[in-house]
Each structure stands twice: as C-alpha cells, then as structure tokens.
Amino acid sequence: MNKPLKQHLIDPEICIRCYTCEMTCPIEAITHDDTNVVVDAGKCDFCMACIPVCPTGSIDEWRVVAEPYSIAEQLSWDELPEQQDIGAGAGDVEEALDETVAALLAEAHKGVGGKARAPSSAAKPTINLYTRSKPAKAVVQGSYRLTSEESGAEVRHIILDLGGQPFPVMEGQSIGIIAPGADENGNPHLPRLYSISSPRDGERPGYNNISLTVKREDGGICSNYVCDLKIGDEVLITGPFGATFLMPDDPSARLLMVCTGTGSAPFRAFTMRRQRVAAAGDGDMVLFFGARAPDSLPYFGPLNKIPGRILKKHLVFSRIPGAQKEYVQDRMMVEQEVIAEMLQDPRTHIYVCGLRGMEEGVEKAFLNIAESAGVPWESTREVMCGEGRYHVETY
Ligand code: A2P
C-alpha cells in the first residue's frame, strides 16, 4: 500500500461556484466543469492561497487517503465522501496532517473563526439544481432603481419570475446569472453570483419569483447586463447555491446582522421571512447597515417602515456633507451594551455581509465589545461557528 497522503478537497454541497479559488490558485491546481470545482491532487502544493479567499469555507476540506481521488471522481460528487478508514499506518487524521501544513492552515484560518456551518434549525436548502449546461430560464418581472440619480452609485431591485420551473430557495442563498456572449478568449461567460433578497415563498407571497439587489459596477459585464435588463427579457440562471449562510428556522432565535451596500440583500430576505411567518416569536433582529448617504442605502424607505419591535435599525452614513463619517463598526461600539448582551445569549446568530474591507473593523468591534464585557471573543466566536451561529460573507 502507498504511504497515506493528505488530499485537499472542496465540499460540493457548500461551494457556491464563484471560482475565486480557481482564479487565486497560483499554479492552476483548481479546475471546474459544469457541476463541481475540484483540486488536482497531482498539482496542489498546499500553498493555502485559496483558503482565506473562499467566501463559504467549502475549500477547507482535507482527507487522508491511500490513493488520491481523481479529478473525474471529484467532478461526479454530489457530496464529499466521509474520511475512510484506510487501515494501519494511517494514524489519526489530525496526526497525518504534517506540521508545516497544519501551521499554514492555522495562519490561513486566522480571524476567520473556523469552517462555516448552517444554523442547526435551518431548513435544508436545495443546491445546484440548475447548472451552466442546464440553466433555468427566468423572465424579468421588474427592475427599479433603489438609489437616487444624484447618489452616483446605481443599485437596482430586480425581480425574476421562474414560471413553472421548480426553483426552491432559502433566505441567504445565491443564484448565478450567465451574461450572454463570450469573454476575450471566446469562452462563454462564467455565471456571476448574486444574493437573493426575497424570502423562500417568493418576492410576492405564493409566487415562484425571486428578487436580487444588484449594483452597477464600472466595466462589470454581468452587473451592467443585469442592470440594463427590461421587463419581459429572458435570463439564464444557475443555482441555487449556498448551504450555510441561512437563517435559523426558530422564531425565538435572535439575529444580529451587519452589512454594507448590496450586502443587505440576504437581510431583506431574513426580515421579510420573519415578518411573514415568525413575527409572533420573541427572537429580535438588530441591523447595522452602512451606506454613503440615505439616498444610496438600498431599501431606505421600506426599511424605515418596519416597526422597531421587529427590526432594530442602525443606519449609518459615511458621506453626509458636514456630518462625521460613520461606519457600521463605529455604531457597533456605540451600541456595545446591546451587542454584549446578545453575544452572551445562546439564541443569538451573527451575520456579516458586504464589503470585504469591513470585516476587519467589524471583527475588532466584536473583540472590543466582548472583552469589555468579560467575554473571551475568540473562543465565543469558535463556539458560535461550531453551532452555525456565526456567518461572514464578504466580497
Ligand atoms: P466610504 O464612504 O468610505 O466608501 P459602497 O457605497 O462602496 O458600496 O460602500 C458602502 C458603505 O461601506 C459606504 O458607507 C462605505 O464608506 C463603507 N465602507 C467602506 N469601507 C469600509 C470599511 N473598511 N469598513 C466599514 N465600512 C466601509
């Protein structure tokens, strides 16, 4: 028998097919087909460059194997195989991770808190129902601008109708959109991911439609395509994706949500779900939402209409003339008592979504708040991660 070796794998149930790992890998050891993204065991040199960039943690899977899983095998998986008992000589899986790799992994995990998990009460999501080769066809039912012309940034609310095609989604999941045409190498565009901003029973209750919150990016092929769509246009979509950034199906769970800009999409879905079915539960929701100004904060009007007993809103602005710049992490410090109390309640679930840049500041705010309240932050975060109560999705 060969000496057991450690193989780097990707969890197909959690991967959202954003291909960031593939684009990050310096030696092209990561590849994909229409269904899965996989690591070539013959090429991967454990540099760990792909670990911190993965938005879901699906990249962080390791198995000790006698014979590495081939690319073809990995491409055929719907789920990751369990660690096999590979007999004498294999030792404990942890021991088989040699020290150098373990140290690199620890470095790559720093500040991330561990592997993402779904809340234990979350409903089981459907994933990968539609792929690049077999996408669903959605029809644009609505598209309107959420931010003012003067604000500079254009963010739109897009409603897609799935008609008779089954497209079951959970709040917090994403879909892929395939822009028509080809890239500079003549290959079809890869799907771009967008978070769903409507709840599971539809943008309109009981209808098979979903909504997205999309920002027009300068030179962005897909975002310009989506923002230019007109009512009645047909769009090819893949997914749904995402199996961890989900809400607890428990009306007594407390949600602490922190976002910037279009990172608000999943929180609109969470809030609508609660308003529709769980408003009677005693779990509260607290939102910290950062934007440049009120007219560039998506859903500013509708958000303000939600009663404070359902959603406590902290809308903070960074570019109001004459006012001091405020970021979400600044307001978190102002509200530290509320946050400290929530951190100590095992019913609390934390969600952070939006600009990658805010992650560090938000993490520091949690650390400061927890430690001033005598709560050890790193171990608390680890427990919350392990229980599917701590979720970060940044880009
Ligand atoms: P800023 O005025 O500094 O750009 P955007 O409009 O680009 O989507 O950003 C949404 C909000 O997030 C803006 O108010 C922006 O402020 C803010 N922001 C930018 N960087 C950070 C950061 N590192 N931490 C928290 N908020 C940030």
Side-chain angles (χ1 to χ4, degrees), residues 10 12 14 25 89 116 126 132 139 201 239-240 244-245 251 266 273 301 324 332 335 358 362-363:
I10 297 176
I14 295 184
C25 179
T126 302
R132 280 166 69 206
V139 174
D201 59 336
T244 63
F245 199 100
R273 173 72 184 164
Q324 180 149 6
M332 287 170 67
E335 297 294 328
M358 78 166 165
V362 168
E363 168 69 17

Side-chain angles (χ1 to χ4, degrees), residues 73-360:
E73 275 174 289
Q74 295 178 56
L75 290 172
S76 72
W77 288 343
D78 292 326
E79 57 187 50
L80 210 57
E82 295 288 329
Q83 171 64 48
Q84 302 294 307
D85 178 3
I86 59 169
D92 179 52
V93 177
E94 288 302 320
E95 274 174 28
L97 287 172
D98 68 68
E99 275 176 25
T100 327
V101 170
L104 282 167
L105 256 181
E107 185 59 30
H109 285 158
K110 236 188 199 162
V112 180
K115 210 164 123 38
R117 269 177 222 272
S120 54
S121 65
K124 181 118 178 91
T126 302
I127 49 167
N128 297 335
L129 200 54
Y130 297 91
T131 59
R132 280 166 69 206
S133 57
K134 289 202 188 79
K137 287 185 183 142
V139 174
V140 178
Q141 225 177 2
S143 169
Y144 61 86
R145 190 169 170 144
L146 295 166
T147 51
S148 77
E149 296 280 344
E150 299 72 46
S151 71
E154 179 178 353
V155 179
R156 300 189 77 86
H157 185 69
I158 313 280
I159 305 169
L160 299 176
D161 182 22
L162 275 307
Q165 297 155 105
F167 205 92
V169 300
M170 289 293 159
E171 304 79 16
Q173 283 195 292
S174 309
I175 62 161
I177 294 199
I178 308 173
D183 65 16
E184 65 275 17
N185 301 319
N187 299 318
H189 291 299
L190 290 173
R192 291 307 301 255
L193 273 210
Y194 295 99
S195 282
I196 297 166
S197 52
S198 52
R200 68 188 77 177
D201 59 336
E203 169 72 2
R204 178 169 173 186
Y207 280 68
N208 193 19
N209 59 4
I210 56 176
S211 68
L212 307 174
T213 313
V214 181
K215 181 176 183 186
R216 192 188 287 277
E217 303 286 353
D218 268 351
I221 290 169
C222 200
S223 74
N224 277 288
Y225 163 66
V226 175
C227 288
D228 288 339
L229 285 167
K230 300 281 174 279
I231 291 176
D233 284 351
E234 194 173 84
V235 188
L236 298 181
I237 67 177
T238 60
F241 300 120
T244 63
F245 199 100
L246 301 172
M247 67 186 295
D249 248 357
D250 168 8
S252 70
R254 308 178 68 191
L255 311 188
L256 176 51
M257 304 175 281
V258 184
C259 67
T260 54
T262 53
S264 56
F267 303 150
R268 176 180 186 266
F270 288 6
T271 308
M272 287 173 78
R273 173 72 184 164
R274 273 277 168 99
Q275 282 183 292
R276 285 185 191 172
V277 299
D282 61 350
D284 53 348
M285 296 194 290
V286 180
L287 173 71
F288 291 85
F289 188 167
R292 297 176 189 191
D295 66 349
S296 60
L297 186 138
Y299 310 110
F300 183 74
L303 259 176
N304 273 318
K305 290 199 188 117
I306 301 171
R309 71 187 150 73
I310 295 181
L311 179 71
K312 285 185 202 76
K313 299 164 284 274
H314 299 282
L315 309 182
V316 304
F317 304 110
S318 57
R319 299 195 199 179
I320 294 191
Q324 180 149 6
K325 174 189 190 100
E326 191 179 16
Y327 278 172
V328 279
Q329 55 268 39
D330 303 325
R331 184 65 70 89
M332 287 170 67
M333 291 310 298
V334 173
E335 297 294 328
Q336 57 178 300
E337 269 178 39
V338 176
I339 295 178
E341 184 271 317
M342 287 185 87
L343 289 181
Q344 295 171 77
D345 185 341
R347 296 180 303 157
T348 299
H349 293 245
I350 293 177
Y351 298 86
V352 180
C353 189
L355 293 175
R356 173 147 294 194
M358 78 166 165
E359 228 179 273
E360 196 187 333

Side-chain angles (χ1 to χ4, degrees), residues 28-64:
E28 296 181 5
I30 300 180
T31 174
H32 70 266
D33 71 355
D34 277 350
T35 47
N36 288 348
V37 186
V38 300
V39 185
D40 184 339
K43 289 189 182 165
C44 175
D45 64 359
F46 306 112
C47 76
M48 306 292 167
C50 57
I51 304 291
V53 297
C54 171
T56 64
S58 57
I59 191 83
D60 198 0
E61 289 292 343
W62 309 86
R63 296 288 183 273
V64 178

